[in-house]
Amino acid sequence: MNQWLKPVRRAPARTWWIGAGIPCLRTVHRFAQATDAEQLRPRAQSRGSKVDPFKPYPHERFNVGTTDAVLTAELKTMGYRGSDQTVRRYFHPLHATLVAPPVASVPPTAWQVTG
């Protein structure tokens, strides 16, 4: 643990003044309250891709051998508003296998469920 955090751990009620006026107040508290390094690891968040709403079509076209540029153009005619780079990033891990995995059903978003 950092030397400057040891006094903070002894007096946690006074941690507010360390981050006063600093935009990283939550970070200061998180470091002050952590008991080990595991608690300080960032938590990965899985976000969907802009390509997700168009599945399984991109996977079918990828398996046939369509290039990313052609696939992007086809997706744009279907209403895709993302960039070419997003499509390239989406299919980059699949280029090694040359086969896209079957598409699992995508759960509805909170907005779709609640209307």
Side-chain angles (χ1 to χ4, degrees):
M1 180 181 306
N2 291 338
Q3 295 299 321
W4 63 274
L5 282 178
K6 285 186 180 181
V8 173
R9 297 234 351 120
R10 284 188 224 119
R14 295 186 307 160
T15 58
W16 65 270
W17 61 266
I18 293 173
I22 301 173
C24 61
L25 181 61
R26 273 191 233 135
T27 304
V28 170
H29 283 285
R30 193 168 64 98
F31 272 80
Q33 302 300 323
T35 56
D36 61 358
E38 188 65 27
Q39 293 177 343
L40 298 176
R41 275 191 27 215
R43 294 174 191 92
Q45 294 180 346
S46 175
R47 287 186 270 173
S49 170
K50 287 187 176 182
V51 180
D52 287 344
F54 300 95
K55 287 185 201 175
Y57 179 77
H59 285 248
E60 293 168 1
R61 297 294 290 151
F62 180 82
N63 288 337
V64 182
T66 307
T67 63
D68 296 341
V70 172
L71 187 53
T72 303
E74 291 175 2
L75 289 175
K76 286 192 178 193
T77 62
M78 297 170 65
Y80 173 69
R81 298 183 70 195
S83 67
D84 297 348
Q85 184 66 27
T86 303
V87 175
R88 279 196 299 272
R89 265 193 233 116
Y90 182 81
F91 285 108
H92 180 73
L94 305 178
H95 282 290
T97 62
L98 297 178
V99 177
V103 179
S105 62
V106 179
T109 64
W111 288 103
Q112 292 170 335
V113 173
T114 59

